[in-house]
Amino acid sequence: MVQRTNDSSIISKCSMASLGYFQDEFLQYFVAKRSRRAPLINWGYYIRAKAVDHCIRQFLLQTQNHNKRQILSLGAGFDSLYFRLKAGGCLDNTVVYEVDFPEVVHRKALVIKSTEKLAELIAITKEVKYLDSGLLSLSGEDYKLLGIDLNDVTLLDKGLNEVGMDPSCPTLLLAEVVLTYMENIRSSAVIHWAAEFFSSAQFVVYEQIRPEDPFGQVMQQHFIHLNCKLHALSEYPNHEGQRERFLHSGWPECQVIDMNEFYFNFISRSDRRKIETLEPFDEFEEWHLKCSHYFILVASKGHLTRNSALSTSTG
């Protein structure tokens, strides 16, 4: 089931962070039993974390003069984004909303409430409860956790309105390997809804591409075996397909690059040298092959179209 990918993903993220690839002291609280992943997996989660973090920080930089901004993480799972940014002093005038299946949200809320370091950062104002709409919620001043199945866009709209999401202030939406698990008609509904709901926003997506070659076929079978079919690959198999999907769904600007492009153009040489020293690694050919099958996308609308997070390289 899709929910199980959350448990596997958070263990991999924790493995990567614990070895020093990426600084995140909060992932450990969401893992019941740690496991050290193979170097190739650690490298994969490193580039994923760096790409998403880059886009978020560029958004926060672009909107630093606004009185209010929002981050909406769709299918957030046990991700520690809020806690990492909050502890780093990066969430001034920012409210973070996280949405996932009610079962996942219930488990995450229990972890937060029972972990002093997490609960203190949130300063919980409302305990886990059911809203008027029947949705499970945990609420702090700048953190809202909401149990909603993303397949129900009407409920998503109602729930976010109920917890105070403001469609008029700049918002970053994040979907890390989430939309592709949904049937395309359902995920497209989310993309359309977001374009109509927010006046100024960026939509950041990280997921898979290139299903047709041998690596892509193996990749698809792996997820089918996990009962998590990658639906987006059938209709949006490459950069251009993904880009056109957003351009035709109410997003005036959209940039897409694969992880090789991100690695060489947005990761500094010093950082690339650093990760090569963290553990023995000689699978560079397979690493670059894997990177060519994952992308980061930034779609923009409103005043946020002026500067995409993928416009300026730092490598």
Side-chain angles (χ1 to χ4, degrees):
M1 294 179 65
V2 172
Q3 291 98 316
R4 292 177 186 168
T5 64
N6 167 66
D7 296 344
S8 175
S9 176
I10 202 67
I11 290 172
S12 297
K13 287 182 177 182
C14 189
S15 170
M16 173 270 299
S18 67
L19 291 169
Y21 285 89
F22 188 79
Q23 297 302 310
D24 191 329
E25 63 178 296
F26 300 100
L27 287 165
Q28 60 182 314
Y29 299 117
F30 296 100
V31 177
K33 185 178 180 181
R34 295 196 204 185
S35 177
R36 179 166 177 166
R37 300 302 203 198
L40 186 62
I41 294 176
N42 288 328
W43 275 55
Y45 274 87
Y46 162 75
I47 196 68
R48 171 177 172 172
K50 290 290 286 186
V52 170
D53 187 66
H54 168 80
C55 293
I56 292 170
R57 291 184 185 278
Q58 286 297 111
F59 165 78
L60 292 173
L61 182 64
Q62 280 181 253
T63 58
Q64 61 184 327
N65 295 324
H66 287 261
N67 293 327
K68 182 182 179 183
R69 58 252 177 107
Q70 302 168 145
I71 295 174
L72 171 57
S73 182
L74 302 171
F78 282 7
D79 191 46
S80 56
L81 176 152
Y82 166 81
F83 303 97
R84 175 168 48 83
L85 294 176
K86 179 72 172 181
C90 302
L91 292 181
D92 291 343
N93 304 320
T94 308
V95 181
V96 175
Y97 298 80
E98 292 186 343
V99 175
D100 211 319
F101 291 109
E103 300 93 332
V104 175
V105 163
H106 179 68
R107 290 169 56 203
K108 187 169 191 176
L110 289 176
V111 172
I112 292 169
K113 288 179 64 182
S114 62
T115 307
E116 185 177 358
K117 195 165 186 177
L118 302 179
E120 285 180 349
L121 279 172
I122 288 183
I124 297 171
T125 55
K126 293 181 181 178
E127 295 291 323
V128 178
K129 68 165 190 173
Y130 286 93
L131 304 172
D132 294 339
S133 57
L135 303 172
L136 187 69
S137 171
L138 175 71
S139 184
E141 289 185 5
D142 58 2
Y143 178 76
K144 317 292 180 182
L145 179 61
L146 202 55
I148 305 175
D149 184 341
L150 293 175
N151 288 293
D152 191 338
V153 176
T154 301
L155 197 57
L156 176 66
D157 183 274
K158 183 178 181 180
L160 289 173
N161 275 302
E162 196 170 343
V163 294
M165 175 148 272
D166 185 350
S168 67
C169 78
T171 302
L172 180 139
L173 298 98
L174 173 63
E176 279 187 70
V177 196
V178 172
L179 300 180
T180 192
Y181 290 145
M182 304 166 66
E183 292 184 9
N184 290 327
I185 191 171
R186 301 291 187 182
S187 56
S188 292
V190 172
I191 296 170
H192 277 283
W193 164 83
E196 293 178 356
F197 187 87
F198 297 104
S199 58
S200 188
Q202 289 185 339
F203 205 135
V204 176
V205 177
Y206 174 89
E207 59 187 48
Q208 301 87 346
I209 47 171
R210 297 183 60 197
E212 71 286 342
D213 65 13
F215 185 97
Q217 292 170 12
V218 171
M219 177 177 69
Q220 288 186 88
Q221 287 303 313
H222 168 73
F223 284 96
I224 289 173
H225 178 72
L226 296 174
N227 199 27
C228 298
K229 182 179 179 181
L230 304 177
H231 295 278
L233 290 175
S234 60
E235 288 189 46
Y236 315 103
N238 51 36
H239 293 66
E240 193 55 30
Q242 286 286 346
R243 183 171 177 272
E244 289 295 320
R245 181 184 199 186
F246 278 82
L247 292 178
H248 293 155
S249 299
W251 297 86
E253 182 180 285
C254 184
Q255 290 186 291
V256 189
I257 62 174
D258 69 27
M259 289 299 98
N260 279 321
E261 294 175 83
F262 184 85
Y263 181 69
F264 287 113
N265 293 323
F266 291 88
I267 304 292
S268 67
R269 287 186 177 88
S270 60
D271 281 351
R272 296 202 296 264
R273 286 194 294 269
K274 175 192 170 185
I275 66 166
E276 291 178 11
T277 68
L278 295 177
E279 58 183 330
F281 185 77
D282 59 3
E283 302 170 274
F284 290 99
E285 185 176 348
E286 188 170 357
W287 153 250
H288 289 301
L289 182 60
K290 184 175 182 178
C291 282
S292 70
H293 287 77
Y294 284 82
F295 70 85
I296 190 81
L297 172 153
V298 180
S300 308
K301 65 166 299 188
H303 76 265
L304 292 175
T305 57
R306 290 195 287 269
N307 292 295
S308 169
L310 301 179
S311 297
T312 306
S313 67
T314 57

